Amino acid sequence: MATVLVTGANRGIGLEFCRQYAEAGWKVLACCRRPEKASDLNGLAVHHPSVSIHQLDLGSFDQIDALAHALASESIDVLINNAGIYGDSSRNALGALDYEHWARVLKINALAPVKMTEAFLPHLLRSERKLVAAITSLMGSMGDNTSGGSIMYRSSKAALNAAMKSLSIDLEDRGIGVLILHPGWVKTDMGGSNAPTSPVESVAGLRRVIDGFGSGDSGRFLDFRGRELPW
């Protein structure tokens, strides 16, 4: 049975990843900050025994190490670094930026996925698929940025893109692939109700890209339809 680990599994895209992989017969390691409040995820685990829920606050790198140690016997085929925060608001706009908050956005969105990859490297190396997927955003593209704003979120996703591109090169000789994936504008708490894409559609597309991964795809910036995006 193939195994996937998903961060930010309690809602939105992360929850949908867990649902679709569970229904496809995968073992799902679902990670979130407050499992006791993740009612939908707990309900999914009741109906799918292959889903196990693990407490993880990505702001604590000690917790990441502890979870990697607790799951030391697991082989992880696909590590999905999905969790992220937006951070920007009218109170944090240019002229009133909260730099400590910006640092937290960078830690959760850019540093934590690298730490996850580093901590779970032995688990990936033992698996058959050996794939890391980072859920990023087109808002991290400098080539696509024509509107400005959202400086915290944009900079954190640009940093994530750069870090994952480097990891794709650094991990190539170990047989580990890295995908940098834009899920589209999705109807989630972050994306809002006006977004044109449902979590079901987005995750189905992302899974097709993951399932169709070839060595030439490592380090590419792709959307959920498999289209290449500008850096």
Side-chain angles (χ1 to χ4, degrees), residues 21 78-81 117 130-136 160-161 164-165 167-168 176-182 205-223 226 231:
Y21 274 115
V78 182
L79 169 62
I80 300 180
N81 289 302
T117 304
K130 298 180 176 64
L131 185 60
V132 177
I135 305 305
T136 183
L160 174 62
N161 293 353
M164 288 294 155
K165 176 64 179 179
L167 284 182
S168 74
I176 295 176
V178 178
L179 279 171
I180 305 161
L181 300 174
H182 170 52
L206 292 169
R207 286 183 59 229
R208 281 192 293 271
V209 175
I210 291 169
D211 290 346
F213 175 82
S215 59
D217 296 324
S218 194
R220 296 176 67 199
F221 185 15
L222 306 172
D223 74 2
W231 293 108

Side-chain angles (χ1 to χ4, degrees), residues 26-182:
W26 285 52
K27 183 175 184 178
V28 179
L29 308 174
C31 303
C32 62
R33 194 157 56 99
R34 294 194 179 100
E36 72 280 2
K37 294 187 176 182
S39 56
D40 290 338
L41 181 58
N42 281 288
L44 179 68
V46 168
H47 291 95
H48 293 280
S50 64
V51 177
S52 60
I53 303 174
H54 305 271
Q55 195 277 329
L56 180 63
D57 182 349
L58 290 172
S60 169
F61 286 6
D62 287 344
Q63 284 193 27
I64 294 176
D65 285 332
L67 182 61
H69 179 73
L71 298 175
S73 63
E74 297 284 355
S75 297
I76 296 175
D77 291 273
V78 182
L79 169 62
I80 300 180
N81 289 302
N82 164 73
I85 56 177
Y86 185 65
D88 292 281
S89 70
S90 58
R91 294 174 297 174
N92 284 326
L94 187 63
L97 286 170
D98 181 337
Y99 287 90
E100 288 187 8
H101 185 60
W102 190 357
R104 175 167 173 76
V105 174
L106 286 165
K107 184 175 186 180
I108 298 299
N109 290 358
L111 277 65
V114 176
K115 176 62 178 175
M116 286 289 297
T117 304
E118 186 177 43
F120 285 92
L121 192 57
H123 310 65
L124 288 159
L125 287 168
R126 285 196 300 270
S127 74
E128 291 187 10
R129 303 200 183 198
K130 298 180 176 64
L131 185 60
V132 177
I135 305 305
T136 183
S137 172
L138 185 59
M139 289 183 72
S141 166
M142 287 179 279
D144 186 72
N145 185 359
T146 59
S147 61
S150 301
I151 189 169
M152 297 183 184
Y153 188 70
R154 286 186 185 278
S155 63
S156 70
K157 290 300 187 179
L160 174 62
N161 293 353
M164 288 294 155
K165 176 64 179 179
S166 283
L167 284 182
S168 74
I169 298 167
D170 296 340
L171 296 174
E172 182 179 9
D173 62 351
R174 304 195 207 186
I176 295 176
V178 178
L179 279 171
I180 305 161
L181 300 174
H182 170 52

